Each structure stands twice: as structure tokens, then as C-alpha cells.
Amino acid sequence: MTKSAIVSRTIPVSEEEEPPSSTMTNSEAKEEEPPSTGFASRRNRLFSHVSASDWNDWKWHFRNRITSVKELSRFIPLSDKEQSQLKLVTAKYPLAITPYYLSLINPDDPDDPIRKQAIPAIEEISMGSMGMEDPLEEKRDSVVPGLVHRYPDRVLMVLTDICPMLCRHCTRKREWHNGGWVRNDEEIEAMLDYIRRTPQVRDVIISGGDPLTLSTERLERVIARVRAIQHVEIIRIGTRFPVVLPQRIDAELCNMLSKYGPIWLNTHYNHYREITPESTRACDRLLRAGVPVNNQTVLLRGINDSVETQLKLSHALLKAKVRPYYLFQCDEVQGTEHLRTPVETGISIIEGMRGHTSGLAIPSFVIDLPSGGGKVPLQPDYILSHTKERLILRNYQGRIITFRNPGADSGNKLEMVPQVEEAIVNEDRALVRS
Ligand SMILES: *Cc1c(COP(=O)(O)O)cnc(C)c1O
Ligand code: SF4
């Protein structure tokens, strides 16, 4: 099925006409507190017995992830019907939530934006026929197992398929059932080998799953070997740990990373309520270790699909010194259709931000095209007319302004600004007259 067919079938016109912010008002009205206060220490009361040392230990959270509907129902009120529905969903797409992330959920709000990212919804299977299994066709661009070389100068290294939390909008959710692999030394050596003999690779992205599920020691073995390759200029790590389990960003990890810079880290905040004191501290530690943190958000229906929510997210990120990098159109993946928005939503969000706030706060809105087409940026259209001579542009307020296009032969007399041309003509006339 084509993308446009899906969009037109699943986005009723009435919803499209609603202002985008309407989907968020529920949770936001209840959310009186500023972004980075309070949420951290507000553990779900069922975790109140957990000692501080356990709570601050990322391995404790990992071991105690909530993975069954029965367990979940102890923390979040679920009716019998909901429970049996969710059991059906988790048979296809498993469930895993860290106690930390679960504690960010308001258990009494069915529209909570944190909840919708973590707790399964019946639509994952009831709308399950829509979308594709592997839209990005990463397998096609894999040069050796686990290494995707799609763009000329950078490669993506997939070290594991394990994640601390299973996000309901995940592009890789079809793989959750094959669960639990980590590339072995031999496989990693094959990836490194390819990078060694491919000198145009100057940027290596270590990703997953989530690569920080590996022990720091194991991760160091990989990073050290990548760093030893002369032509690799930068290393990037793609991880959601700062958001779903910030305790992972400990001194040991940061010390290790600081030895192999330049390392950049991309994380994945989708909502400003995820920016807690713990999470902010994690980003701060990374920065102090010389690791700049950028953010990649996925645009999600009913979670962050309004200008207002995106502005709050961006501003909270900048306060945490994290740069908004990409805003992704949600990929066309089976089991995520209910979370997808029409492309117009993303464009109008960017339009609502550009000019209204600092450029630093504005991510690039991109579609990661199916069939391995790569990322394509989408922009509001500010050009009303464009000729060799001039552009007619509109600014963020809707003012229309003409801009002279310098053009290739702008040194030529013909391209002189009209006032000068006029002055010369007048001078010539004066000469003729005298
Ligand atoms: C997203 C992606 C990259 C990195 O893209 P940037 O625009 O440089 O952040 C590299 N390889 C693959 C396969 C990707 O999907
Ligand atoms: S962290 Fe990324 S890869 Fe892991 S489940 Fe979430 S979206 Fe998927």
C-alpha cells in the first residue's frame, strides 16, 4: 500500500481540521508544574520501598523492568477488558518499562504522553494491517551484518537489539521477538574491518537497539577500536538511556567516553515531561565529559503533535543544554499507525516555531524515506516567487518582501541596483544636454 493511501484512509478530515494543540490539552491542563521539577522523586508509590542505592542503580531498573500486563496492572489501573486486550497486543509486541520511566506516568490519565509511549494500545494490532515490516530496508544497505552504509561519509553500527524500554512507536518493533542479541567479537571485527578499508567513512554512529545496554567495559572495547581508525573523525552514540533510564549515565561511563572524543551523543526525548532532574543531570555529566548531546524526536499523534508541546520540549531541552536536531515523521511501520500524524502536522509545527523562537530551538523536520531512500527535510514554503532577478519571500509574520537575487553575473552593469542605474542614466542625460 502506498503511503498516501494510508494517510488519506486513516486521517479523517475532521481531525485534520482541529488545531493540533487540542490533542494535548488534556494532559497539559493537568500539568501545572514547570518542565524540570518534581517528576523525578515522585516515584510510583509502589516503588517507595526501593532503597536509594537500588533506585540509583541502572542495573536494578533493568532487572526490574515491568514486562507483563499483570505486573503493569499493579501500577496503572487497567480494567479487565483492557488487560485482556493488552495481553493480545503483547503477544505480538512485547512490553518493557523501566521503573524510572513508569514513575513518570500519571496513572490516572489515560491520555498521558509518557504512558502512550510505554504502555501498549489495542490499535497496535487492530490497525495492524497498515504499514510495512521493514520500511527503511536497513538490510539492503547492510555492507556486513549490522553495519549500514547508506550515505557516503558515515556508517551506522547496530551492536544489539536490546533496549531498556520498548517504545510503542519503535521502527524496529517487528524484531522484538527475536529479542536479546548482542553482536559478538567476530561480527564486530567484521564491521571494523569494513570501516578500516573504507577511507571515506569519517563518522561512525554506534546504535541499536540501545548500545548503552552493553556494559561500559564491552562498549569501551568497541569504541577504542573505532577510535584507532585514522580516518574516523567523529563517533556518535544513539541512545535513549538519558530519557528512559538516566541512571545509566554514571561517572564510569562518562570517564570512559571522555577518553575517546570527539564523541557526540544523540538521544530521544519526545515530551518535555521526560526532562527530569535526573535526566538533566545525565546530560550535564555527558557534557562535562566533552560529549555534546543532541535530540531526535519522533512526531507522535496525541503525544507531541502541537506547536505548543514542541516549543515547551525545545525550550526545556535548551535549558538542559541539549540541541534539538531532528523531528522525525513517524515511520510507516506495522503496529504504529495510531501514533502517526499527517506530514502537514510536522510542517506546520516548524512554521509555528521558526521566527517565533530562537533558531537553536528548531529541529529539522525529516522523513526517513522507505526503500532506504534516506532522510529528506521538509520545510514550510517561504518562497512565493523565484526568478533569476529576484525572490518574493514571506517571513514568519506573513510579511511579503522582495529580495534581489545576486545571480551569476552580478558584477555586470546590467545587474546594478535600480537606483544606481537611474543615477547613471540621469548623468548621461545631463551630459547630452550640456
Ligand atoms: C540517520 C542515519 C545516519 C545519520 O544521518 P545524519 O543526517 O548524519 O544524522 C546515517 N546512516 C543511516 C543509515 C541513517 O539512517
Ligand atoms: S529506544 Fe529506540 S530502538 Fe529502542 S525501543 Fe525505543 S525507539 Fe526502539
Side-chain angles (χ1 to χ4, degrees), residues 15 283 289 304 317 351:
E15 269 180 64
C283 295
N304 59 14
L317 286 171
E351 186 160 12

Side-chain angles (χ1 to χ4, degrees), residues 405-423:
N405 191 358
D409 43 16
S410 56
N412 193 307
K413 183 169 170 273
L414 291 172
E415 293 286 327
M416 279 189 291
V417 294
Q419 293 92 318
V420 176
E421 238 170 309
E422 204 177 309

Side-chain angles (χ1 to χ4, degrees), residues 148 150-151 154 156 203 205 236 296 325-326 368 375:
V148 186
R150 173 170 301 156
Y151 299 106
R154 50 216 191 275
L156 185 75
D203 178 354
I205 302 159
R236 282 196 262 178
Q296 310 194 145
Y325 177 42
Y326 280 138
D368 209 347
K375 298 177 187 71

